[in-house]
Amino acid sequence: MMELRKLLIASLTVAVLAGGAAQAASTSDFSDQWWVPGESGWGASVQQQASTLFINLMVYASDGKPAWFSAAAHQQTNAPAGHTVFAGDLYATTGPSPNGAFDPALVKARKVGALTFDASSFDNAILSYTVDGTPIVKNVQRQTWSYENLTGNYDTMWKYG
C-alpha cells in the first residue's frame, strides 16, 4: 500500500510539473531593446511585468535633439488572432539636471498622446504612437546582442516524508 501511495504522489507531481512547464512555455516576455535597423539612434526599451509593458522611447524631436517618451501599456483582450497587443498613454517628462541636488518638484510629466505595441511574433512588432497629434508608426524588431546560454546540468530533488 505504501509503494502505491508513493507511486501516486510521484505521478501527480510529474503531471503538475509537466502542466506548469507547458504553460510557462506558452507565454512571451517582450522585455528587450527594440529598434528599426535602418534608423540607428532610435529605439525603445521595453520592460514587461505580467500584462503591462513599460516602454521608454529614445527618439529625435523635430529639431533633431534627443527626446524621451514613456508609456505604461496594458495588454488588450481584443487583439486579433496571432497578435499580442498592449496600449497606453504616452508621456514626455522633464526634470532637474543630474549634476546638482535632485529636486522632485522639478519633475514634470505631460501627456503627449497614446502608444500601441502590436506584436505579431516574439521578435517583431508594430509600434504606433502619437506625439502632440503627430502619428508615428514603426516596424520594430528585437535588438539582439547575444542569446542566454541555458545549457548545463539541472538536478531535481524529491523529498517524501
Side-chain angles (χ1 to χ4, degrees), residues 26-117:
S26 66
T27 62
S28 294
D29 186 346
F30 295 103
S31 298
D32 217 331
Q33 290 297 118
W34 292 75
W35 73 322
V36 177
E39 297 182 26
S40 185
W42 181 99
S45 177
V46 177
Q47 296 299 314
Q48 183 170 354
Q49 292 182 1
S51 60
T52 302
L53 300 183
F54 183 76
I55 301 175
N56 281 315
L57 298 178
M58 300 151 286
V59 301
Y60 299 112
S62 57
D63 62 3
K65 293 183 179 176
W68 285 41
F69 301 101
S70 59
H74 306 282
Q75 190 167 2
Q76 305 299 295
T77 58
N78 59 347
H83 290 252
T84 306
V85 178
F86 299 83
D89 293 331
L90 186 65
Y91 291 87
T93 54
T94 57
S97 169
N99 60 0
F102 183 79
D103 182 356
L106 297 177
V107 176
K108 307 289 183 216
R110 179 176 69 87
K111 182 179 171 185
V112 296
L115 176 142
T116 301
F117 183 93

Side-chain angles (χ1 to χ4, degrees), residues 128-144:
S128 307
Y129 58 97
T130 56
V131 175
D132 295 328
T134 302
I136 296 112
V137 178
K138 303 285 185 179
N139 291 309
V140 296
Q141 66 186 46
R142 287 182 188 267
Q143 188 174 22
T144 303

